[in-house]
């Protein structure tokens, strides 16, 4: 189907869109800057607050066609790793009242069209009702100019509440799964009766990375206790082995498709890992040791799991410098990697590696 895109005065808009807003976890700003310096040395650090950092993107970069139509190339968030969401800034609005800020927002939207509005807080602790702002902003924009809303465009308007009287306005493209979630925050909550938060982390990873398990797949998790992630895997009809010297919740331990190997990862014989489709790791050890545990399995020609979902704990932000090396190691073992800090996780990153021939690049 041919969708006619709205006519946008791109040159004029780009003048104002030279700032990139990145939403990240509180405390991950320094790690994100490390990644920016490695991957995008031409970006210039600008406005810098907990949970929201901005970069000035040089105009030369913006002339690359991948930045057309207010898009951000997918490799930007992929390489920044610690960015949950990336937004093209249209500007900042301030004002004592919400009405003033809504009017100022409207003035920024000269020729932009968007399908939807996301309102989210830079700091989740900020005492601001984003649902109410969303309702008022949407209603006002609709009544001022209903043509601003165009269901066929890929753009989503963002109102990032920075403080009680300051909003950042920008747009992003809805083209990835995480980009469809307001602020890049995984919208699901942990349901009652789940064994640990690891259930939700894995649920987000499956959704964000669009991981497809097949019923009956055999999965082994290193660092499985008390069993939240295994619970999520069992719900996907998989055969699950949990490796952990610690106790597994009895609800999981007695499940007919679950087996507990009550040992440390390195004490498991290599031949035991034969036939697994996926290996997960969530051990509370340093990332180099997690990589060693994975290397032992992945270099063996007879053990070729189709995918790995690894949680790598970042005890220190400087470890962010190592991410490129870890991805290169996976590459040398024949896997393609994607890495991101999840919105439901802690000071850690989630690395998903899939066999190069199985991975369908998007
Ligand atoms: C964050 S918890 C894992 C949470 C778990 N994935 C869940 O879904 O509930 C970290 C676990 O790693 C385990 N662990 C630490 N070192 C390990 C090792 N060398 N081998 C296996 N498990 C290990 C710890 O016993 C601990 O239970």
């Amino acid at each position: 189907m041919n969708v006619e895109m709205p006519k946008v005065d791109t040159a004029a808009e780009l003048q104002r869109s030279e700032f990139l807003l990145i939403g990240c976890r509180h405390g991950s700003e320094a790690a994100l800057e490390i990644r920016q310096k490695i991957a995008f040395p031409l970006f210039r650090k600008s406005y810098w607050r907990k949970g929201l950092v901005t970069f000035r993107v040089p105009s030369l970069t913006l002339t690359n066609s991948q930045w057309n139509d207010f898009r951000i190339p997918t490799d930007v968030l992929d390489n920044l790793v610690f960015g949950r969401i990336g937004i093209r800034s249209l500007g900042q609005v301030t004002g004592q009242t919400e009405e003033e800020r809504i009017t100022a927002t409207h003035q920024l939207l000269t020729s932009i069209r968007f399908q939807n509005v996301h309102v989210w807080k830079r700091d989740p602790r900020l005492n601001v009702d984003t649902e109410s702002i969303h309702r008022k902003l949407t209603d006002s924009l609709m009544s001022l100019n209903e043509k601003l809303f165009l269901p066929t465009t890929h753009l989503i308007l963002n109102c990032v509440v920075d403080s009680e009287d300051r909003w950042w306005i920008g747009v992003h493209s809805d083209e990835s799964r995480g980009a469809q979630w307001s602020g890049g925050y995984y919208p699901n909550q942990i349901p009652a009766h789940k064994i640990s938060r690891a259930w939700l982390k894995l649920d987000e990873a499956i959704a964000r990375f669009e991981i497809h398990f097949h019923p009956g797949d055999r999965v082994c998790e290193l660092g499985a206790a008390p069993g939240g992630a295994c619970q999520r895997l069992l719900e996907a009809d998989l055969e699950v082995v949990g490796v952990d010297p610690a106790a597994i919740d009895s609800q999981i331990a007695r499940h007919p498709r679950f087996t507990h190997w009550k040992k440390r990862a390195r004490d498991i014989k290599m031949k035991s890992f034969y036939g697994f489709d996926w290996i997960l790791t969530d051990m509370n050890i340093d990332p180099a040791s997690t990589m060693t545990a994975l290397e032992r399995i992945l270099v063996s020609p007879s053990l070729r799991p189709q995918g790995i979902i690894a949680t790598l704990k970042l005890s220190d932000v400087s470890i962010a410098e190592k991410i490129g090396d870890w991805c290169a190691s996976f590459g040398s073992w024949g896997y393609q990697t994607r890495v991101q800090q999840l919105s439901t996780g802690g000071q850690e990153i989630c690395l998903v590696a899939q066999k190069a021939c199985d991975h369908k690049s998007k």
Side-chain angles (χ1 to χ4, degrees), residues 25-323:
R25 183 177 189 276
H26 276 218
S28 291
E29 301 80 14
L32 196 147
E33 189 180 1
I34 289 172
R35 292 295 311 159
Q36 172 262 315
K37 284 187 173 149
I38 295 169
F40 305 103
L42 296 179
F43 289 9
R44 287 285 162 265
K45 181 177 165 179
S46 185
Y47 186 83
W48 206 254
R49 301 288 296 274
K50 278 198 164 158
L52 182 73
V53 300
T54 76
F55 297 104
R56 183 185 275 271
V57 181
S59 52
L60 202 59
T61 303
L62 294 170
T63 57
N64 181 314
S65 63
Q66 287 188 38
W67 289 81
N68 284 355
D69 297 329
F70 296 97
R71 283 182 163 83
I72 298 170
T74 48
D75 75 311
V76 171
L77 274 191
D78 286 353
N79 281 303
L80 289 177
V81 175
F82 296 89
R84 211 180 41 240
I85 187 125
I87 293 162
R88 297 280 290 267
S89 174
L90 298 172
Q92 193 191 88
V93 298
T94 51
Q96 287 309 307
T97 67
E98 235 164 54
E99 286 65 34
E100 283 171 29
R101 296 193 291 276
I102 289 173
T103 305
T105 301
H106 187 239
Q107 285 161 4
L108 289 175
L109 306 178
T110 49
S111 54
I112 301 267
R113 300 290 176 268
F114 42 87
Q115 44 150 293
N116 201 352
V117 179
H118 287 174
V119 180
W120 54 279
K121 295 186 254 193
R122 171 183 69 76
D123 182 347
R125 294 166 304 183
L126 197 64
N127 188 20
V128 167
D129 181 354
T130 48
E131 278 183 29
S132 153
I133 296 176
H134 183 270
R135 205 172 37 251
K136 288 186 199 160
L137 184 60
T138 308
D139 290 352
S140 310
L141 295 178
M142 190 72 92
S143 64
L144 284 163
N145 179 3
E146 66 180 32
K147 290 195 179 121
L148 287 170
F149 290 83
L150 182 72
T152 50
T153 176
H154 61 98
L155 291 180
I156 295 173
L157 182 73
N158 283 256
C159 166
V160 188
V161 181
D162 189 354
S163 59
E164 282 176 12
D165 60 355
R166 183 206 306 269
W167 299 343
W168 287 91
I169 305 300
V171 285
H172 80 277
S173 177
D174 69 349
E175 285 155 335
S176 75
R177 195 69 189 278
Q180 290 156 20
W181 307 333
S182 182
Y185 290 107
Y186 188 49
N188 292 1
Q189 302 297 314
I190 185 159
H193 314 302
K194 297 300 173 194
I195 283 156
S196 70
R197 247 193 111 63
W199 185 97
L200 188 63
K201 279 196 309 182
L202 181 57
D203 199 53
E204 178 182 348
I206 292 169
R208 193 179 279 276
F209 294 104
E210 301 182 57
I211 293 167
H212 300 287
F213 295 121
H214 301 103
D217 275 356
R218 291 192 68 222
V219 184
C220 177
E221 185 182 31
L222 310 177
C230 290
Q231 186 177 32
R232 178 65 184 78
L233 296 167
L234 291 165
E235 286 164 8
D237 292 332
L238 310 182
E239 298 284 335
V240 182
V241 171
V243 177
D244 202 307
I248 298 281
D249 184 280
S250 60
Q251 194 187 328
I252 301 304
R254 64 171 180 258
H255 194 289
R257 278 184 283 104
F258 180 81
T259 309
H260 185 191
W261 292 346
K262 204 169 187 311
K263 290 181 176 175
R264 287 173 306 184
R266 66 171 171 270
D267 297 329
I268 305 288
K269 290 201 172 69
M270 284 307 290
K271 64 178 184 198
S272 306
F273 288 115
Y274 183 79
F276 282 108
D277 300 291
W278 287 83
I279 303 283
L280 270 61
T281 72
D282 190 16
M283 295 177 282
N284 48 5
I285 55 178
D286 68 278
S289 303
T290 296
M291 286 299 292
T292 304
L294 283 169
E295 179 173 12
R296 197 176 150 242
I297 299 170
L298 299 178
V299 295
S300 167
S302 57
L303 306 179
R304 300 295 293 159
Q306 138 195 356
I308 292 90
I309 305 174
T311 299
L312 297 161
K313 313 279 177 187
L314 301 188
S315 45
D316 176 335
V317 287
S318 68
I319 294 176
E321 287 170 10
K322 300 266 193 286
I323 293 172

